[in-house]
Amino acid sequence: MLSGDITQRARRAQFRAAREFVDRLNTPSTLVIPGNHDIPLFNLAARLFWPYANFLREFPSVSGVHDSTRLLVVALNTTRPSRHKNGVLSHEQIEAVVAQLSQARPGQLRVVVTHQPIAVERAEDEHDRLRGPLREAMQRWAEAGADLVLGGHIHLPYVMPLFGAETPLKRRMWAVQAGTSVSQRVREGIPNSVNLIRWGGVLPLGLCLIERWDYLAEARAFARARATALDTGWLPPEPPAFSP
């Protein structure tokens, strides 16, 4: 899952290079959504009339759904050509996610992805937070069964709960933010990093493991730097009552 800012200036050659990089990963399935850097900035005509043209040359859609045995991912396009950086979440998008989550099957980790963060840890990052009815989104998505809300945009990796006294939710739900994967645009001395999300397999039922892998320049390789265990509260469905 690539949560946006695939390029620096949304140029055709940059998207081609990004596509070639993704292809080299050789993953069974990949979802990619645009970030604010993936819309032309200086070409005003392109930004106004065909803002996603270069993106769509290499990637099939600006939003999407991945549905597999263990995973349901709903990825949204929160960029808006009329805005320089900020993203917007609409009521229609909130309800579209609810509709997708309502079709989740037992055993699936349920994930929503936006480019701009739905929640931030620091007051100085509040201006980069996603715009729109976020409290409604969190309440509706939690009620519909979402476990994680992934994001990017601010180049800071963190995991934080979305449930609490200020935002009472029907179930546990977390924000999981990505850092900078391969670009040189890192922040505050934090190295390039990627998040690896583990679910199922040998893990206990309901436990989701978020691993942050940092790039070690001397070793020229990524290594696990931190692991955060999240108890989603997921339980297998109860067996039907026995009737003699």
Side-chain angles (χ1 to χ4, degrees):
M1 179 70 234
L2 278 66
S3 55
D5 283 353
I6 312 306
T7 67
Q8 175 65 17
R9 284 290 172 253
R11 297 191 175 102
R12 185 171 181 176
Q14 293 173 347
F15 281 114
R16 177 90 290 265
R19 177 77 257 182
E20 292 172 353
F21 173 80
V22 170
D23 290 343
R24 289 199 303 270
L25 296 177
N26 197 30
T27 56
S29 178
T30 305
L31 276 180
V32 182
I33 57 173
N36 55 292
H37 279 272
D38 300 318
I39 301 175
L41 179 61
F42 301 113
N43 186 338
L44 298 183
R47 187 178 182 91
L48 180 62
F49 295 108
W50 48 90
Y52 302 106
N54 284 340
F55 180 96
L56 293 171
R57 290 179 192 275
E58 306 296 343
F59 301 102
S61 176
V62 296
S63 61
V65 177
H66 171 84
D67 188 348
S68 62
T69 302
R70 293 181 177 174
L71 189 62
L72 176 63
V73 182
V74 185
L76 302 175
N77 176 20
T78 54
T79 63
R80 298 293 185 269
S82 60
R83 292 175 175 259
H84 173 52
K85 290 176 58 178
N86 297 125
V88 179
L89 181 68
S90 68
H91 288 285
E92 291 76 15
Q93 287 177 310
I94 293 172
E95 294 308 313
V97 170
V98 170
Q100 289 288 346
L101 293 174
S102 69
Q103 301 177 39
R105 301 186 299 277
Q108 285 183 312
L109 183 71
R110 291 148 292 189
V111 181
V112 183
V113 189
T114 62
H115 175 60
Q116 291 83 1
I118 197 169
V120 294
E121 290 186 311
R122 313 179 314 175
E124 57 263 42
D125 296 319
E126 186 65 33
H127 68 282
D128 282 323
R129 193 180 180 192
L130 189 61
R131 303 293 200 264
L134 301 187
R135 182 178 293 271
E136 176 189 345
M138 287 187 277
Q139 291 173 339
R140 294 282 288 140
W141 293 350
E143 185 177 341
D147 298 303
L148 309 177
V149 182
L150 310 188
H153 188 55
I154 58 174
H155 304 273
L156 292 175
Y158 56 82
V159 178
M160 65 179 293
L162 295 172
F163 55 93
E166 293 186 2
T167 312
L169 301 181
K170 292 293 182 77
R171 66 192 308 277
R172 298 167 185 164
M173 190 169 70
W174 283 267
V176 179
Q177 281 294 126
T180 304
S181 58
V182 295
S183 169
Q184 295 179 344
R185 299 182 72 243
V186 295
R187 288 184 60 177
E188 302 176 5
I190 299 174
N192 292 95
S193 67
V194 294
N195 289 331
L196 177 62
I197 301 175
R198 299 190 186 275
W199 172 258
V202 299
L203 292 177
L205 287 175
L207 185 69
C208 177
L209 191 65
I210 312 295
E211 296 182 359
R212 184 180 120 192
W213 287 63
D214 288 356
Y215 183 72
L216 305 181
E218 294 183 358
R220 302 185 66 181
F222 284 87
R224 192 172 80 161
R226 179 178 300 174
T228 305
L230 306 179
D231 182 2
T232 66
W234 183 88
L235 294 173
E238 295 182 4
F242 174 74
S243 299

